[in-house]
Amino acid sequence: MGEWNNGLFGCFNNIGMCIFTCIVPCYTFGKVAESVGDDCLLCGLALLVPCLNIYALIMNRGKVRDNKGIEGGLVGDLVMICFCGFCALMQSAQEMAVSTPLGAGESISRQ
C-alpha cells in the first residue's frame, strides 16, 4: 500500500490553495469529492451542516485513500479531521490534484 504524496502539514507546499481553502473550504471539499465521483455541490453544501460535515469529510478522505491505494482507516481519518481538518482537506486536495479557480495556487506554489 502507498503513502500520501504530501504530509499532513504539506498544505504549505501550495500556499495559494492553502489560503483559498481557509477562506472557502466548501469549494475545495466539493472539488475533492468531484474527483472521487461524488457530487461537487452537495458535498460542498454538506460541509456547512454540523455533524454531517465530519461524516462527509471522513467518507471523502476514505475514498481518496482507496482511490490512491493509501494505507489508513476510519479512526485515523476521524482523528485527522477533528484535530487538523484544514490540513487533512488540503492533503486530500493535493493528492487528487485539485486546483483553485483562476490557478491561484499554481502561480505561487513552491517548486
Side-chain angles (χ1 to χ4, degrees):
M1 304 248 11
E3 293 183 8
W4 294 94
N5 288 330
N6 293 283
L8 184 61
F9 300 109
C11 50
F12 300 112
N13 293 342
N14 186 337
I15 198 71
M17 181 179 239
C18 184
I19 292 168
F20 190 83
T21 299
C22 285
I23 296 169
V24 192
C26 53
Y27 175 85
T28 304
F29 181 63
K31 287 300 183 181
V32 171
E34 185 177 58
S35 71
V36 293
D38 291 336
D39 186 81
C40 178
L41 179 62
L42 290 178
C43 287
L45 291 174
L47 202 59
L48 303 173
V49 179
C51 295
L52 178 60
N53 57 2
I54 294 171
Y55 174 78
L57 284 163
I58 291 169
M59 292 296 108
N60 190 272
R61 187 170 168 89
K63 288 180 183 181
V64 170
R65 279 188 304 95
D66 290 345
N67 187 296
K68 297 292 183 172
I70 299 171
E71 291 183 42
L74 181 70
V75 174
D77 291 343
L78 176 63
V79 170
M80 296 299 171
I81 297 300
C82 289
F83 292 104
C84 207
F86 284 114
C87 292
L89 178 56
M90 275 294 300
Q91 188 179 40
S92 296
Q94 288 176 334
E95 195 68 37
M96 298 307 290
V98 170
S99 62
T100 59
L102 306 175
E106 291 79 42
S107 62
I108 59 176
S109 66
R110 293 183 197 168
Q111 296 298 326

